[in-house]
Amino acid sequence: MNTNSSNIMALAPNTSNKRETVCIFGTGDFGRALGHKMIQSGYPVVYGSRSTQISNLIPKDAEVLSHAEAAQKAAIIIIAIQRQHYNFLTPLAEILRGKVVVDISNNLKLNQYPESNAEYLAQLLPGAKVVKAFNTVSAWALQSGALDASRQVFVCGDDVEAKQMVMNIVRALGLTPLDQGSLLAAQGIENYPLQLFPMWKFPIFLSLGLTAFFFFYCLALDVIYTYVYEKNNFSFFIAITIPNRICPVMALILLALVYLPGVLAAIIQLYRGTKYRRFPDWLDKWMLCRKQLGLIALAFASLHAVFTLVSPMRAFVRWRTGKGIISQALNNKTEPLDTTNAWLSDSYLALGILGFFFFVLVGITSLPSVSNSVNWREFRFVQSKLGYLTLILCTAHTLVYGGKWFLSPSAYRWYLPNIYMLSLVVPCTVLVVKFVLVFPCVDKPLTQIRQGWERNPKYSE
Amino acid sequence: MNTNSSNIMALAPNTSNKRETVCIFGTGDFGRALGHKMIQSGYPVVYGSRSTQISNLIPKDAEVLSHAEAAQKAAIIIIAIQRQHYNFLTPLAEILRGKVVVDISNNLKLNQYPESNAEYLAQLLPGAKVVKAFNTVSAWALQSGALDASRQVFVCGDDVEAKQMVMNIVRALGLTPLDQGSLLAAQGIENYPLQLFPMWKFPIFLSLGLTAFFFFYCLALDVIYTYVYEKNNFSFFIAITIPNRICPVMALILLALVYLPGVLAAIIQLYRGTKYRRFPDWLDKWMLCRKQLGLIALAFASLHAVFTLVSPMRAFVRWRTGKGIISQALNNKTEPLDTTNAWLSDSYLALGILGFFFFVLVGITSLPSVSNSVNWREFRFVQSKLGYLTLILCTAHTLVYGGKWFLSPSAYRWYLPNIYMLSLVVPCTVLVVKFVLVFPCVDKPLTQIRQGWERNPKYSE
Amino acid sequence: MNTNSSNIMALAPNTSNKRETVCIFGTGDFGRALGHKMIQSGYPVVYGSRSTQISNLIPKDAEVLSHAEAAQKAAIIIIAIQRQHYNFLTPLAEILRGKVVVDISNNLKLNQYPESNAEYLAQLLPGAKVVKAFNTVSAWALQSGALDASRQVFVCGDDVEAKQMVMNIVRALGLTPLDQGSLLAAQGIENYPLQLFPMWKFPIFLSLGLTAFFFFYCLALDVIYTYVYEKNNFSFFIAITIPNRICPVMALILLALVYLPGVLAAIIQLYRGTKYRRFPDWLDKWMLCRKQLGLIALAFASLHAVFTLVSPMRAFVRWRTGKGIISQALNNKTEPLDTTNAWLSDSYLALGILGFFFFVLVGITSLPSVSNSVNWREFRFVQSKLGYLTLILCTAHTLVYGGKWFLSPSAYRWYLPNIYMLSLVVPCTVLVVKFVLVFPCVDKPLTQIRQGWERNPKYSE
């Protein structure tokens, strides 16, 4: 969709005479790719290299000179070499004085060096205006033009004018510059492309662990128990029946885990009588991954919805339905409509649908562009009020669905409870505690504490 | 998802020696929270306070001085006190001359004062460079680090350099500054956090009102009538059957209400022969909430889709299906396939699916990030062309579904029409009028009027 | 959703005394609309016009003067006239020297003139600071306030200060300025509003062509063949049965077409032994529209999901189910559960659900705001790893569904294979070649080539 925007920036090559010359130090893969792209966008490019003989890999229209000569030809020098070779720049410090020097390097590990590459470069070249940029773009993406991913280029630097010059080049290449402030931001910018969903790791491992546990629990109770005691081979339950037991359980538990830390934080604050002491570390981390937990819960809920909706199409369900009808037909009688049963069946379906509806609504507001267009009050309303409504509806859905089995002995195979009973523990706890916290006698001191009041001011740090 | 970006900005504390000192006037809750966060981000913080004895609530590493002393230590002064106490700043006007003074205050009501707090501050301190910022962030969010909501901080001010300094601080705290232009924008920025979905109020109240009306209408016709005249207790219809009658009706009516004002506007323009007279106020307001009406209609349509899809799982439907089959089996005969019925059933399902598909497509383009990446022509194409296609498909879906009942007397219980007949009134009107407006003899003058032509130029204002 | 933001900018008219005067050349439709809006936002507006008699169309509070007089009254002059009349500005060059001149014009065709209108204007007025802006907003949108579409105004210009002044006006009108760099970007900005989904054209025509082909193929085999040889009138298959055969086939083929060019590119690179030669043009173009192909495939997959889920509600399916049950009842016997059949039925449903789930996940990450908040590594992980997982699951879903018919002669009506067999050709090819490419003996040289290694360095250009 935003691929169109590439055309906005696309410049006719015939306007190239207006562009300032750019110098690139280093003729490696990224240096060449960047040079190619810049020449396409109308920039005269001169390479600074140790060996000035023109390699046939270097873009045709580019000049290749020694480092010193090349640097003198341009106001902007892009350093396309690795950090460990930066010290060769020290003799050039005088030539680079006052020039815009662009650090595009990345590291192999998070926080590999004590200071960021760009800050290290700025120390080596005290007279140069160092700008960090382009490190989030890959050589391949530049060359192939397949910039379907993020076109964002983080730019930071202490000199505002130098930053502007670099941002103009970024725009001319069809990318979107994002000003990140001073060079202090370089460390973060260099760490950025090394991450692979860091906030998602804990929620995903937690989900996988719980899913595996519930899978074997269900396998034991639904397939193995049935096979051992009833001699029925229900191994095909592995495909749909068991996933459709695990998904709602996971969705409900994870959704409750989203709201549990908030409830715990309130209890801790009430107990301490102050909000000025840090929460335990695990609680802090838990609170920071609530959004991810919620979205994984939504994924499980969606899978549950689809698994449920396909059930009339399953061979097993069609066989069971047919069997029931045929036995009635053979007995020559029609069972009357059981109104209680109809009420229960319709209620839990309706509760589930409404719960899922609000869940999706809350999920949509966590899309970056939507959450950016609501204010804090609106975001809190959706995430807290609608979130709790979702939790209540989903818990009620589960209670109505399985309520009748709580007292039935056949639900306790091998003396183990059915998993939907396990799934109710966390959400019910959260809802009960939240219900207590909403009482005025508890809510009032909590609100006071959150506004800065302290029970024992001495104990605050 | 964008929580990662916090890491980009996260600065190692060891680089803090480069940060300029920031002064905060006021040691209240927000002043302390902001100070904490700034110290974490490496800014030396000095508090200006009436009582200079160090409270244990104030961050440890911060200095506390008198207002005048504190202000002299820093180039940026953040005013974390309430507007009604601003006049104490008048004696400090000379000290604050040339300094960047940041107004972070909020009001309790929309447009509480004739001028914004920031403009009032600028009047009190004519020599200071006043910048408005940080008012959309809560103390709690700053302290807990739970910035999962909008990280956007609106910044405005008349001095560009002062604004840049404040925006750098905003970025260093892990937030996203948004330049809103001159200090004139402060009023809007101060009103922003007080709103709770202002554009959604009318559409939501309208929907709730209509839903309540149709609920009681259906309750009367489907449950009470059946109970009184047919002695059937269908009270469980409240859970699914009745919601699944209301949802499609609401979706269709609200979708038609999205396109009705455009049609009315065209008629008014044709009648007046000019586009240079304002529409009546109600029409203007109606046109401004079309997007919200459309999204609520989409929510009802989605609920209708899910309510429909679960129907084969309902105890009532399974009982009814079984009864039908058993009665055929007991009569020893199989009914042949009724091709007309198969055609009708498949057609209305297919029309509904296609209508819903295009509805979702139109809904996706109203996501902020998607609508920002299409141009005006593309947006109009989707919202107008695909929107009308959706309306036509959904109206056809309803007509095919209920067409056979229009002439059946049993559909008129208590001489009242079924609600799907009511639901067809608005969409059919819109489609008929739109059909007339598309005729060249009507479309041509309308296009001329919209391009600026006037029938009676004298009457224009 | 982002309509709220209009309120942020909304300025009380009583603050208007601070705004600088703006001059508008031209009293046409857009000039008047812009003037109206500016006066509403508190800007004094003066029109420059050939005839200085005040027309009643011009906003009341605006002054109308000759071009020269009007230009002298303001620092910013907006040129609301068409490019072909720009030469009348030449005599005014001296008066406009040093002023900010805003070009708001659009063309009727893409790249209508060799240079952009703004650059042409800059050539005519060498002393003026030309800024391009406002061309993406329509007069109607300005006047009606119905800015529900993109509020983005692209701004470019060579003078940074002039650009800032124009961007402040853009913000004051409730729009979002987007700095696009120097005036060289004007060509792209002028082309932008003329486009109608240019990247979508090829994928959509391809899909329509394939859909038409498969429709007639299915019509022949399912309706005409059945009518001719079995005397059954299954014409109602056109509504749901045939669409539900075409949709999955289209989804699978288009999804495979997303990954085919990547596989072809790898083969070409391996064959050539270098990555420094351009791919054929058709491959380049194909690679650039992969996102669009994938999203259309997702649309077909979603339609397939819904068409499948409604099947138990279809009159035909209910009749067929009833017939099967009745025949069992009349024969006084109940068929036992066929476990193999249950396994097959559940497996292909589960595979389809999982495939669709991952497909939706990949689709969500292609939303602009989501893809902007992930880094390159994360984007590649989702689009490549999860994308291939989707392709594998969907291919397996089709294989399990139709596997048993491959060897059945009745599946080859008129000696033609069923369309799901056709649909498997492309995905299986892609998966087999990809499987070969993943082998270390093939993967290693490919990785080397992609890192810049060349087999025959001489042949590279």
Side-chain angles (χ1 to χ4, degrees), chain B residues 216-249:
Chain B
F216 290 113
Y217 196 94
C218 282
L219 196 70
L221 292 192
D222 291 324
V223 177
I224 298 174
Y225 183 96
T226 321
Y227 190 73
V228 170
Y229 291 90
E230 301 170 13
K231 300 291 171 206
N232 276 327
N233 179 7
F234 281 167
S235 62
F236 62 87
F237 273 20
I238 291 170
I240 292 193
T241 309
I242 292 180
N244 200 20
R245 287 213 184 143
I246 298 170
C247 284
V249 166

mmCIF file of all heavy atoms in Angstrom, chain B residues 216-249:
data_model
loop_
_atom_site.group_PDB
_atom_site.id
_atom_site.type_symbol
_atom_site.label_atom_id
_atom_site.label_comp_id
_atom_site.label_asym_id
_atom_site.label_seq_id
_atom_site.Cartn_x
_atom_site.Cartn_y
_atom_site.Cartn_z
ATOM 1 N N PHE B 216 -37.164 -4.570 21.411
ATOM 2 C CA PHE B 216 -38.511 -4.733 21.959
ATOM 3 C C PHE B 216 -39.510 -5.086 20.863
ATOM 4 O O PHE B 216 -40.444 -5.853 21.079
ATOM 5 C CB PHE B 216 -38.920 -3.483 22.729
ATOM 6 C CG PHE B 216 -38.141 -3.336 24.004
ATOM 7 C CD1 PHE B 216 -37.232 -2.313 24.189
ATOM 8 C CD2 PHE B 216 -38.298 -4.265 25.030
ATOM 9 C CE1 PHE B 216 -36.501 -2.207 25.357
ATOM 10 C CE2 PHE B 216 -37.570 -4.169 26.207
ATOM 11 C CZ PHE B 216 -36.676 -3.133 26.366
ATOM 12 N N TYR B 217 -39.285 -4.564 19.667
ATOM 13 C CA TYR B 217 -40.126 -4.909 18.525
ATOM 14 C C TYR B 217 -40.067 -6.419 18.259
ATOM 15 O O TYR B 217 -41.100 -7.085 18.129
ATOM 16 C CB TYR B 217 -39.623 -4.123 17.313
ATOM 17 C CG TYR B 217 -40.570 -4.055 16.149
ATOM 18 C CD1 TYR B 217 -41.435 -2.978 16.004
ATOM 19 C CD2 TYR B 217 -40.582 -5.044 15.181
ATOM 20 C CE1 TYR B 217 -42.288 -2.901 14.925
ATOM 21 C CE2 TYR B 217 -41.439 -4.977 14.095
ATOM 22 C CZ TYR B 217 -42.289 -3.904 13.963
ATOM 23 O OH TYR B 217 -43.137 -3.832 12.901
ATOM 24 N N CYS B 218 -38.837 -6.938 18.232
ATOM 25 C CA CYS B 218 -38.664 -8.375 17.984
ATOM 26 C C CYS B 218 -39.192 -9.203 19.151
ATOM 27 O O CYS B 218 -39.793 -10.265 18.952
ATOM 28 C CB CYS B 218 -37.183 -8.719 17.810
ATOM 29 S SG CYS B 218 -36.547 -8.292 16.222
ATOM 30 N N LEU B 219 -38.924 -8.717 20.368
ATOM 31 C CA LEU B 219 -39.390 -9.441 21.548
ATOM 32 C C LEU B 219 -40.901 -9.609 21.472
ATOM 33 O O LEU B 219 -41.445 -10.701 21.718
ATOM 34 C CB LEU B 219 -39.007 -8.647 22.800
ATOM 35 C CG LEU B 219 -39.059 -9.399 24.122
ATOM 36 C CD1 LEU B 219 -37.937 -10.415 24.178
ATOM 37 C CD2 LEU B 219 -38.943 -8.419 25.285
ATOM 38 N N ALA B 220 -41.585 -8.532 21.100
ATOM 39 C CA ALA B 220 -43.041 -8.580 21.005
ATOM 40 C C ALA B 220 -43.470 -9.569 19.930
ATOM 41 O O ALA B 220 -44.293 -10.455 20.174
ATOM 42 C CB ALA B 220 -43.588 -7.186 20.700
ATOM 43 N N LEU B 221 -42.884 -9.469 18.733
ATOM 44 C CA LEU B 221 -43.367 -10.286 17.621
ATOM 45 C C LEU B 221 -42.908 -11.732 17.710
ATOM 46 O O LEU B 221 -43.656 -12.639 17.343
ATOM 47 C CB LEU B 221 -42.897 -9.692 16.288
ATOM 48 C CG LEU B 221 -43.513 -8.353 15.897
ATOM 49 C CD1 LEU B 221 -43.202 -8.044 14.451
ATOM 50 C CD2 LEU B 221 -45.020 -8.366 16.103
ATOM 51 N N ASP B 222 -41.693 -11.973 18.173
ATOM 52 C CA ASP B 222 -41.155 -13.328 18.102
ATOM 53 C C ASP B 222 -41.371 -14.131 19.378
ATOM 54 O O ASP B 222 -41.597 -15.324 19.322
ATOM 55 C CB ASP B 222 -39.660 -13.289 17.776
ATOM 56 C CG ASP B 222 -39.416 -12.823 16.358
ATOM 57 O OD1 ASP B 222 -40.234 -13.174 15.496
ATOM 58 O OD2 ASP B 222 -38.437 -12.104 16.132
ATOM 59 N N VAL B 223 -41.291 -13.487 20.538
ATOM 60 C CA VAL B 223 -41.420 -14.232 21.785
ATOM 61 C C VAL B 223 -42.833 -14.098 22.352
ATOM 62 O O VAL B 223 -43.525 -15.092 22.571
ATOM 63 C CB VAL B 223 -40.360 -13.760 22.809
ATOM 64 C CG1 VAL B 223 -40.540 -14.487 24.128
ATOM 65 C CG2 VAL B 223 -38.968 -13.998 22.256
ATOM 66 N N ILE B 224 -43.285 -12.869 22.556
ATOM 67 C CA ILE B 224 -44.571 -12.679 23.233
ATOM 68 C C ILE B 224 -45.729 -13.167 22.359
ATOM 69 O O ILE B 224 -46.591 -13.925 22.796
ATOM 70 C CB ILE B 224 -44.742 -11.192 23.627
ATOM 71 C CG1 ILE B 224 -43.623 -10.819 24.610
ATOM 72 C CG2 ILE B 224 -46.113 -10.946 24.235
ATOM 73 C CD1 ILE B 224 -43.574 -9.359 24.976
ATOM 74 N N TYR B 225 -45.726 -12.791 21.053
ATOM 75 C CA TYR B 225 -46.781 -13.230 20.145
ATOM 76 C C TYR B 225 -46.851 -14.753 20.098
ATOM 77 O O TYR B 225 -47.915 -15.348 20.225
ATOM 78 C CB TYR B 225 -46.505 -12.661 18.748
ATOM 79 C CG TYR B 225 -47.554 -12.988 17.732
ATOM 80 C CD1 TYR B 225 -48.582 -12.081 17.451
ATOM 81 C CD2 TYR B 225 -47.532 -14.192 17.040
ATOM 82 C CE1 TYR B 225 -49.544 -12.388 16.502
ATOM 83 C CE2 TYR B 225 -48.490 -14.507 16.100
ATOM 84 C CZ TYR B 225 -49.492 -13.599 15.834
ATOM 85 O OH TYR B 225 -50.456 -13.904 14.907
ATOM 86 N N THR B 226 -45.673 -15.384 19.963
ATOM 87 C CA THR B 226 -45.627 -16.845 19.892
ATOM 88 C C THR B 226 -46.162 -17.458 21.178
ATOM 89 O O THR B 226 -46.865 -18.474 21.145
ATOM 90 C CB THR B 226 -44.169 -17.317 19.684
ATOM 91 O OG1 THR B 226 -43.531 -16.425 18.783
ATOM 92 C CG2 THR B 226 -44.111 -18.715 19.155
ATOM 93 N N TYR B 227 -45.818 -16.833 22.309
ATOM 94 C CA TYR B 227 -46.250 -17.382 23.589
ATOM 95 C C TYR B 227 -47.751 -17.242 23.749
ATOM 96 O O TYR B 227 -48.448 -18.170 24.188
ATOM 97 C CB TYR B 227 -45.523 -16.652 24.721
ATOM 98 C CG TYR B 227 -45.719 -17.307 26.054
ATOM 99 C CD1 TYR B 227 -45.073 -18.511 26.366
ATOM 100 C CD2 TYR B 227 -46.542 -16.734 27.010
ATOM 101 C CE1 TYR B 227 -45.265 -19.121 27.584
ATOM 102 C CE2 TYR B 227 -46.737 -17.341 28.228
ATOM 103 C CZ TYR B 227 -46.093 -18.542 28.522
ATOM 104 O OH TYR B 227 -46.274 -19.144 29.728
ATOM 105 N N VAL B 228 -48.273 -16.080 23.349
ATOM 106 C CA VAL B 228 -49.698 -15.801 23.550
ATOM 107 C C VAL B 228 -50.546 -16.646 22.616
ATOM 108 O O VAL B 228 -51.498 -17.289 23.027
ATOM 109 C CB VAL B 228 -49.975 -14.299 23.347
ATOM 110 C CG1 VAL B 228 -51.476 -14.022 23.302
ATOM 111 C CG2 VAL B 228 -49.306 -13.490 24.445
ATOM 112 N N TYR B 229 -50.174 -16.671 21.309
ATOM 113 C CA TYR B 229 -51.056 -17.293 20.327
ATOM 114 C C TYR B 229 -50.705 -18.743 20.048
ATOM 115 O O TYR B 229 -51.554 -19.513 19.629
ATOM 116 C CB TYR B 229 -51.051 -16.508 19.014
ATOM 117 C CG TYR B 229 -51.714 -15.169 19.159
ATOM 118 C CD1 TYR B 229 -50.989 -14.052 19.515
ATOM 119 C CD2 TYR B 229 -53.102 -15.027 18.971
ATOM 120 C CE1 TYR B 229 -51.585 -12.821 19.658
ATOM 121 C CE2 TYR B 229 -53.704 -13.797 19.123
ATOM 122 C CZ TYR B 229 -52.952 -12.692 19.466
ATOM 123 O OH TYR B 229 -53.562 -11.494 19.619
ATOM 124 N N GLU B 230 -49.405 -19.106 20.199
ATOM 125 C CA GLU B 230 -49.033 -20.474 19.842
ATOM 126 C C GLU B 230 -48.577 -21.273 21.053
ATOM 127 O O GLU B 230 -48.159 -22.421 20.925
ATOM 128 C CB GLU B 230 -47.923 -20.450 18.776
ATOM 129 C CG GLU B 230 -48.366 -19.706 17.519
ATOM 130 C CD GLU B 230 -47.206 -19.452 16.564
ATOM 131 O OE1 GLU B 230 -46.143 -20.064 16.767
ATOM 132 O OE2 GLU B 230 -47.370 -18.640 15.641
ATOM 133 N N LYS B 231 -48.598 -20.654 22.250
ATOM 134 C CA LYS B 231 -48.273 -21.338 23.510
ATOM 135 C C LYS B 231 -46.875 -21.964 23.475
ATOM 136 O O LYS B 231 -46.620 -22.997 24.094
ATOM 137 C CB LYS B 231 -49.307 -22.433 23.828
ATOM 138 C CG LYS B 231 -50.724 -21.930 23.968
ATOM 139 C CD LYS B 231 -50.909 -21.093 25.195
ATOM 140 C CE LYS B 231 -52.270 -20.424 25.194
ATOM 141 N NZ LYS B 231 -52.298 -19.181 25.965
ATOM 142 N N ASN B 232 -45.966 -21.369 22.656
ATOM 143 C CA ASN B 232 -44.591 -21.861 22.618
ATOM 144 C C ASN B 232 -43.704 -20.947 23.453
ATOM 145 O O ASN B 232 -43.762 -19.731 23.307
ATOM 146 C CB ASN B 232 -44.065 -21.875 21.173
ATOM 147 C CG ASN B 232 -44.472 -23.128 20.457
ATOM 148 O OD1 ASN B 232 -44.573 -24.186 21.065
ATOM 149 N ND2 ASN B 232 -44.740 -22.999 19.164
ATOM 150 N N ASN B 233 -42.887 -21.506 24.308
ATOM 151 C CA ASN B 233 -41.958 -20.707 25.094
ATOM 152 C C ASN B 233 -40.643 -20.590 24.342
ATOM 153 O O ASN B 233 -39.794 -21.461 24.421
ATOM 154 C CB ASN B 233 -41.739 -21.357 26.468
ATOM 155 C CG ASN B 233 -40.762 -20.545 27.285
ATOM 156 O OD1 ASN B 233 -40.355 -19.459 26.876
ATOM 157 N ND2 ASN B 233 -40.399 -21.072 28.430
ATOM 158 N N PHE B 234 -40.532 -19.541 23.562
ATOM 159 C CA PHE B 234 -39.311 -19.309 22.797
ATOM 160 C C PHE B 234 -38.477 -18.198 23.442
ATOM 161 O O PHE B 234 -37.826 -17.420 22.759
ATOM 162 C CB PHE B 234 -39.643 -18.934 21.345
ATOM 163 C CG PHE B 234 -39.984 -20.129 20.509
ATOM 164 C CD1 PHE B 234 -40.562 -19.975 19.257
ATOM 165 C CD2 PHE B 234 -39.726 -21.433 20.949
ATOM 166 C CE1 PHE B 234 -40.881 -21.075 18.481
ATOM 167 C CE2 PHE B 234 -40.043 -22.529 20.178
ATOM 168 C CZ PHE B 234 -40.624 -22.356 18.932
ATOM 169 N N SER B 235 -38.496 -18.125 24.795
ATOM 170 C CA SER B 235 -37.773 -17.038 25.464
ATOM 171 C C SER B 235 -36.279 -17.100 25.171
ATOM 172 O O SER B 235 -35.602 -16.074 25.188
ATOM 173 C CB SER B 235 -38.009 -17.107 26.971
ATOM 174 O OG SER B 235 -37.503 -18.323 27.471
ATOM 175 N N PHE B 236 -35.749 -18.306 24.869
ATOM 176 C CA PHE B 236 -34.314 -18.410 24.584
ATOM 177 C C PHE B 236 -33.943 -17.719 23.273
ATOM 178 O O PHE B 236 -32.760 -17.582 22.968
ATOM 179 C CB PHE B 236 -33.874 -19.880 24.565
ATOM 180 C CG PHE B 236 -34.547 -20.690 23.509
ATOM 181 C CD1 PHE B 236 -34.026 -20.747 22.234
ATOM 182 C CD2 PHE B 236 -35.716 -21.384 23.789
ATOM 183 C CE1 PHE B 236 -34.648 -21.492 21.253
ATOM 184 C CE2 PHE B 236 -36.342 -22.127 22.809
ATOM 185 C CZ PHE B 236 -35.815 -22.177 21.538
ATOM 186 N N PHE B 237 -34.923 -17.277 22.511
ATOM 187 C CA PHE B 237 -34.644 -16.489 21.312
ATOM 188 C C PHE B 237 -33.878 -15.209 21.657
ATOM 189 O O PHE B 237 -33.211 -14.618 20.816
ATOM 190 C CB PHE B 237 -35.948 -16.106 20.609
ATOM 191 C CG PHE B 237 -36.430 -17.141 19.636
ATOM 192 C CD1 PHE B 237 -35.988 -18.457 19.716
ATOM 193 C CD2 PHE B 237 -37.321 -16.809 18.617
ATOM 194 C CE1 PHE B 237 -36.431 -19.413 18.816
ATOM 195 C CE2 PHE B 237 -37.759 -17.759 17.723
ATOM 196 C CZ PHE B 237 -37.321 -19.063 17.816
ATOM 197 N N ILE B 238 -34.019 -14.771 22.948
ATOM 198 C CA ILE B 238 -33.349 -13.542 23.369
ATOM 199 C C ILE B 238 -31.833 -13.649 23.198
ATOM 200 O O ILE B 238 -31.156 -12.663 22.934
ATOM 201 C CB ILE B 238 -33.714 -13.231 24.843
ATOM 202 C CG1 ILE B 238 -35.181 -12.833 24.930
ATOM 203 C CG2 ILE B 238 -32.834 -12.146 25.432
ATOM 204 C CD1 ILE B 238 -35.690 -12.751 26.343
ATOM 205 N N ALA B 239 -31.292 -14.857 23.341
ATOM 206 C CA ALA B 239 -29.832 -15.008 23.333
ATOM 207 C C ALA B 239 -29.234 -14.879 21.936
ATOM 208 O O ALA B 239 -28.246 -14.177 21.741
ATOM 209 C CB ALA B 239 -29.440 -16.348 23.953
ATOM 210 N N ILE B 240 -29.835 -15.546 20.952
ATOM 211 C CA ILE B 240 -29.213 -15.539 19.622
ATOM 212 C C ILE B 240 -30.179 -15.123 18.521
ATOM 213 O O ILE B 240 -29.840 -14.280 17.688
ATOM 214 C CB ILE B 240 -28.610 -16.932 19.293
ATOM 215 C CG1 ILE B 240 -27.410 -17.189 20.212
ATOM 216 C CG2 ILE B 240 -28.186 -17.015 17.836
ATOM 217 C CD1 ILE B 240 -26.553 -18.348 19.815
ATOM 218 N N THR B 241 -31.373 -15.691 18.498
ATOM 219 C CA THR B 241 -32.265 -15.439 17.371
ATOM 220 C C THR B 241 -32.562 -13.944 17.219
ATOM 221 O O THR B 241 -32.457 -13.386 16.122
ATOM 222 C CB THR B 241 -33.584 -16.222 17.549
ATOM 223 O OG1 THR B 241 -33.254 -17.576 17.825
ATOM 224 C CG2 THR B 241 -34.434 -16.130 16.311
ATOM 225 N N ILE B 242 -32.920 -13.297 18.336
ATOM 226 C CA ILE B 242 -33.273 -11.873 18.238
ATOM 227 C C ILE B 242 -32.043 -11.019 17.946
ATOM 228 O O ILE B 242 -32.082 -10.182 17.028
ATOM 229 C CB ILE B 242 -34.038 -11.424 19.498
ATOM 230 C CG1 ILE B 242 -35.412 -12.103 19.507
ATOM 231 C CG2 ILE B 242 -34.178 -9.915 19.544
ATOM 232 C CD1 ILE B 242 -36.267 -11.754 20.682
ATOM 233 N N PRO B 243 -30.910 -11.200 18.657
ATOM 234 C CA PRO B 243 -29.715 -10.443 18.253
ATOM 235 C C PRO B 243 -29.384 -10.618 16.780
ATOM 236 O O PRO B 243 -29.010 -9.667 16.110
ATOM 237 C CB PRO B 243 -28.608 -11.037 19.141
ATOM 238 C CG PRO B 243 -29.306 -11.507 20.349
ATOM 239 C CD PRO B 243 -30.679 -11.947 19.911
ATOM 240 N N ASN B 244 -29.566 -11.839 16.264
ATOM 241 C CA ASN B 244 -29.241 -12.074 14.867
ATOM 242 C C ASN B 244 -30.304 -11.512 13.930
ATOM 243 O O ASN B 244 -30.137 -11.555 12.709
ATOM 244 C CB ASN B 244 -29.046 -13.566 14.614
ATOM 245 C CG ASN B 244 -28.254 -13.813 13.361
ATOM 246 O OD1 ASN B 244 -27.558 -12.911 12.903
ATOM 247 N ND2 ASN B 244 -28.380 -15.000 12.795
ATOM 248 N N ARG B 245 -31.439 -11.043 14.452
ATOM 249 C CA ARG B 245 -32.357 -10.267 13.604
ATOM 250 C C ARG B 245 -31.993 -8.798 13.657
ATOM 251 O O ARG B 245 -32.112 -8.084 12.677
ATOM 252 C CB ARG B 245 -33.797 -10.418 14.088
ATOM 253 C CG ARG B 245 -34.274 -11.769 13.746
ATOM 254 C CD ARG B 245 -35.699 -11.897 13.416
ATOM 255 N NE ARG B 245 -35.818 -13.349 13.233
ATOM 256 C CZ ARG B 245 -36.840 -14.067 13.584
ATOM 257 N NH1 ARG B 245 -37.901 -13.482 14.091
ATOM 258 N NH2 ARG B 245 -36.850 -15.357 13.404
ATOM 259 N N ILE B 246 -31.574 -8.334 14.867
ATOM 260 C CA ILE B 246 -31.291 -6.911 15.035
ATOM 261 C C ILE B 246 -30.004 -6.522 14.307
ATOM 262 O O ILE B 246 -29.940 -5.491 13.637
ATOM 263 C CB ILE B 246 -31.179 -6.578 16.541
ATOM 264 C CG1 ILE B 246 -32.504 -6.861 17.231
ATOM 265 C CG2 ILE B 246 -30.769 -5.134 16.735
ATOM 266 C CD1 ILE B 246 -32.412 -6.787 18.735
ATOM 267 N N CYS B 247 -28.982 -7.378 14.428
ATOM 268 C CA CYS B 247 -27.672 -7.006 13.871
ATOM 269 C C CYS B 247 -27.724 -6.701 12.374
ATOM 270 O O CYS B 247 -27.248 -5.650 11.949
ATOM 271 C CB CYS B 247 -26.644 -8.090 14.154
ATOM 272 S SG CYS B 247 -26.095 -8.068 15.850
ATOM 273 N N PRO B 248 -28.279 -7.591 11.545
ATOM 274 C CA PRO B 248 -28.289 -7.252 10.121
ATOM 275 C C PRO B 248 -29.118 -6.005 9.827
ATOM 276 O O PRO B 248 -28.754 -5.202 8.972
ATOM 277 C CB PRO B 248 -28.896 -8.492 9.459
ATOM 278 C CG PRO B 248 -29.599 -9.210 10.550
ATOM 279 C CD PRO B 248 -28.849 -8.912 11.794
ATOM 280 N N VAL B 249 -30.242 -5.853 10.564
ATOM 281 C CA VAL B 249 -31.088 -4.677 10.345
ATOM 282 C C VAL B 249 -30.309 -3.403 10.678
ATOM 283 O O VAL B 249 -30.299 -2.437 9.905
ATOM 284 C CB VAL B 249 -32.365 -4.799 11.209
ATOM 285 C CG1 VAL B 249 -33.091 -3.475 11.279
ATOM 286 C CG2 VAL B 249 -33.262 -5.888 10.659
#
